[in-house]
Amino acid sequence: MRIVSIVGARPQFIKLAALSAKLAVSHEEIIVHTGQHYDYSMSERIFSDLGIRNPDYHLGVGSGSHATQTGEMMKALEEVMLTRKPQLVVIFGDTNTTLAGALAASKINIPIVHVEAGLRSYNRNMPEEINRIIADHVSDYLFAPTQNAAGILKNEGLEDKTHLTGDIMVDTLSNNLQVALEISQITKELEVEGRDFNLLTLHRNYNVDNPEILVNILDQLDRLGELIIFPVHPRTKKIIENTEMSWENISLTEPLGYIDFIAAEHYSKRIITDSGGIQKEAFILGRPCITLRTETEWIETVEAGWNLLVDPSVSDICDRIRSFEVPDVKENIFGEDVSSKMAVIINSI
Ligand code: UD1
Ligand code: UDP
């Protein structure tokens, strides 16, 4: 089969890595990069860390308003699909790249696999929530990462298209963790070797776009009085640069490569984040996770006691972080050898 895999943002490269390795065995895979993320640290670095080959098409769309970005991607994606005539399109996650791929392929009747289907935050202030709902409802094969996601798809009448595969990020993490712990020098580079540190990431629109909200979060985290390593997402950097603020305990760095980042997660005392993927990695790696959001798509990690939701507008973020303790045990929520399961389904299409 000729398969077009559509990616554009950092977490999609990470999801693609494990699946692409399997698809390449039996299919002609065409990798299309929309260009949604384009900084070296957000794109090329992740490709090279994960050994993903260069995309066959780089659409160079870049940043823009939702409609502009999505519309430009759709036009360019349609052209690739009309030229290359794939039998299947694979889309990942819930970004504008996902939405553009879903709309462009479904309108010209190309069957779609949606990897990471069935997630809902029930918060429509997140652009991702709209993207997910549409992607799920126009796709033909819904690869649900968890039992909960499969249940959500069933409730939305999508049971017949659903395959409970587990979460693809499990495979990328397990394929790379050992190497990361052997080769990454990140704790040395950050001068945190053998020291306790928290690892922080923030990029959700509602946490970072308003400087007052972002500064309040960082001011509060600074008062934790513990070292916090903060690889800053470009969206967040844009805002911080304009504040002229600095924090005593928070050490800002560029976004890390994937290998360095998973090593940093492994060695961290706890992880504080609003990222979707990082909540999962924290759970898999057994690091306590504080999610600075009022809700999460990864509710199982909260129910298991490993992820604490903290509303970033409260004034006692530090107390909540300090008093959070995780249980001794954790179940396997996200599955294993996920890419093989996905490949079996795709091979049978
Ligand atoms: C996007 C996804 C989000 C995902 C995140 C992963 C959407 C709507 N959002 O959010 O679901 O969790 O990626 O990281 O698709 N920028 C740069 N350089 C880059 C990329 C972005 O400077 O390489 C800056 C630009 O100013 C841009 C802003 O970051 O306007 C936001 O980028 P965008 O891709 O629109 O959204 P993200 O916040 O990255
Ligand atoms: N990540 C990375 N470097 C960083 C921060 C994150 O490689 O500096 C990886 C992380 O290991 C995870 C993914 O990026 O696999 C999460 O992506 P992100 O937080 O950008 O998006 P989300 O998962 O929220 O959509």
Side-chain angles (χ1 to χ4, degrees):
M1 236 185 332
R2 181 175 298 151
I3 300 176
V4 164
S5 296
I6 301 173
V7 291
R10 174 170 65 189
Q12 294 170 322
F13 313 141
I14 291 159
K15 289 163 198 166
L16 172 74
L19 186 58
S20 184
K22 288 281 178 352
L23 292 185
V25 176
S26 330
H27 303 280
E28 178 194 354
E29 190 196 22
I30 297 168
I31 298 177
V32 183
H33 186 326
T34 62
Q36 176 168 351
H37 285 173
Y38 44 87
D39 288 356
Y40 171 77
S41 62
M42 297 295 289
S43 178
E44 225 180 299
R45 172 83 196 262
I46 307 288
F47 270 73
S48 82
D49 266 20
L50 291 171
I52 312 170
R53 66 185 170 80
N54 285 336
D56 299 284
Y57 293 85
H58 197 299
L59 308 180
V61 171
S63 306
S65 71
H66 287 288
T68 306
Q69 190 180 51
T70 310
E72 282 180 16
M73 287 175 190
M74 280 178 69
K75 280 202 275 186
L77 285 169
E78 184 183 59
E79 206 177 308
V80 172
M81 290 188 251
L82 290 174
T83 311
R84 302 302 301 267
K85 299 184 176 40
Q87 282 89 42
L88 191 70
V89 160
V90 183
I91 55 174
F92 300 82
D94 53 16
T95 70
N96 287 350
T97 292
T98 318
L99 176 66
L103 290 174
S106 61
K107 290 288 184 82
I108 52 174
N109 298 317
I110 301 173
I112 305 170
V113 169
H114 184 203
V115 174
E116 205 177 83
L119 296 194
R120 299 290 180 268
S121 64
Y122 302 104
N123 174 0
R124 295 238 177 158
N125 287 328
M126 297 178 73
E128 294 83 0
E129 186 73 355
I130 318 281
N131 297 346
R132 294 174 187 133
I133 293 169
I134 295 171
D136 283 344
H137 283 263
V138 300
S139 292
D140 302 274
Y141 303 90
L142 302 173
F143 288 179
T146 61
Q147 193 72 55
N148 187 47
I152 287 172
L153 293 168
K154 184 177 178 193
N155 290 340
E156 294 185 15
L158 297 170
E159 189 178 13
D160 291 351
K161 297 177 178 175
T162 300
H163 303 265
L164 178 54
T165 53
D167 195 297
I168 190 76
M169 288 178 73
V170 166
D171 285 19
T172 310
L173 187 56
S174 66
N175 292 344
N176 291 283
L177 184 61
Q178 195 61 40
V179 169
L181 299 183
E182 277 163 26
I183 68 168
S184 174
Q185 299 293 313
I186 194 65
T187 52
K188 264 197 202 117
E189 284 166 25
L190 297 171
E191 299 177 354
V192 295
E193 216 176 10
R195 289 171 67 191
D196 270 357
F197 67 94
N198 297 272
L199 185 62
L200 170 68
T201 78
L202 292 169
H203 73 273
R204 290 287 154 221
N205 56 337
Y206 46 73
N207 280 341
V208 309
D209 287 357
N210 178 334
E212 263 178 50
I213 294 177
L214 177 60
V215 167
N216 171 55
I217 293 173
L218 294 174
D219 283 350
Q220 286 212 47
L221 291 176
D222 201 31
R223 275 183 245 132
L224 192 61
E226 296 179 13
L227 177 61
I228 298 179
I229 299 294
F230 182 20
V232 185
H233 189 284
R235 180 183 197 120
T236 314
K237 185 177 176 189
K238 224 171 43 177
I239 308 294
I240 291 182
E241 273 173 352
N242 287 328
T243 65
E244 293 176 10
M245 300 281 296
S246 64
W247 295 270
E248 199 178 328
N249 299 308
I250 304 179
S251 170
L252 282 62
T253 73
E254 286 297 306
L256 304 182
Y258 180 76
I259 295 295
D260 283 342
F261 192 79
I262 60 174
E265 286 180 307
H266 171 88
Y267 290 115
S268 67
K269 174 178 174 184
R270 52 169 108 74
I271 294 175
I272 306 170
T273 192
D274 60 12
S275 155
I278 294 169
Q279 290 174 63
K280 289 185 276 183
E281 288 169 349
F283 180 84
I284 298 165
L285 294 168
R287 308 321 305 146
C289 185
I290 286 85
T291 297
L292 293 175
R293 294 179 45 184
T294 50
E295 78 292 305
T296 178
E297 304 77 33
W298 304 106
I299 193 71
E300 303 90 336
T301 59
V302 176
E303 287 166 356
W306 282 83
N307 187 2
L308 177 73
L309 288 176
V310 175
D311 178 347
S313 68
V314 299
S315 56
D316 61 345
I317 296 179
C318 288
D319 294 341
R320 296 190 194 204
I321 293 177
R322 271 192 212 100
S323 57
F324 180 51
E325 281 177 25
V326 292
D328 296 331
V329 287
K330 67 181 174 69
E331 284 175 16
N332 182 342
I333 293 173
F334 297 110
E336 56 196 2
D337 200 9
V338 175
S339 51
S340 297
K341 290 178 189 134
M342 291 181 172
V344 167
I345 299 164
I346 291 174
N347 293 347
S348 72
I349 292 174

